[in-house]
Amino acid sequence: VMVVESGGDLVQPGGSLRLSCAASGFNIVDYATGWFRQAPGKEREGVSCITSTRGNTWYADSVKGRFTISRDNAKNTVFLQMNSLKPEDAAIYYCAVDYTCPVVATVTNWGQGTQVTVSS
C-alpha cells in the first residue's frame, strides 16, 4: 500500500491549491483516505477525510467551507482542493489510507508529504 502526495507550492494568502494523493498497488476507492498536516512546532492534525464506499466527507473546523476533498477513481487519486488559503494553513500535508478514516495515532507509515507555503 503506497500513497504519494503532491501539489504543494508557495501561494499568496487568499489563493488556491489542489493537492493530490495518488495510490499505487491498490484501489484507493476501497479505503478511506485522510489528509493531515503538520506545521513547524505543532502536532500533526487531521484536516479532512473521505470514506470508501459512500464517499462521506469530514473536515476539521479550521478548514470547513474552504477545503474540499474528492476522489477520482479512474485516476486512483484523492484530491484536496484548498481555497481562500491563510498563513495558518502553511504546513507539510500528508495523506493516509485505512479501512475507516485514519487518525494520526493509527497511521504507521507516513509518506514524504507535500509542502504548502502561504505567504505574500
Side-chain angles (χ1 to χ4, degrees):
V1 173
M2 180 177 177
V3 291
V4 177
E5 307 92 343
S6 63
D9 205 343
L10 168 65
V11 63
Q12 293 185 345
S16 298
L17 280 176
R18 189 177 78 160
L19 306 184
S20 299
C21 174
S24 62
F26 69 101
N27 294 321
I28 203 167
V29 67
D30 293 337
Y31 296 84
T33 303
W35 279 101
F36 303 83
R37 66 187 181 186
Q38 186 167 21
K42 295 189 176 181
E43 293 186 351
R44 195 166 299 186
E45 62 178 358
V47 174
S48 183
C49 182
I50 185 167
T51 63
S52 56
T53 304
R54 293 190 176 184
N56 294 334
T57 58
W58 168 85
Y59 298 95
D61 287 343
S62 58
V63 307
K64 276 181 184 176
R66 300 187 298 120
F67 290 12
T68 303
I69 192 170
S70 63
R71 183 170 55 218
D72 187 326
N73 296 342
K75 295 182 178 179
N76 212 23
T77 299
V78 167
F79 300 100
L80 185 68
Q81 178 67 43
M82 306 188 298
N83 298 329
S84 302
L85 282 161
K86 304 176 181 180
E88 53 262 43
D89 294 317
I92 300 176
Y93 282 70
Y94 305 87
C95 64
V97 297
D98 206 336
Y99 294 110
T100 59
C101 278
V103 295
V104 173
T106 62
V107 178
T108 57
N109 187 22
W110 294 100
Q112 297 283 344
T114 186
Q115 178 73 54
V116 172
T117 303
V118 185
S119 175
S120 54

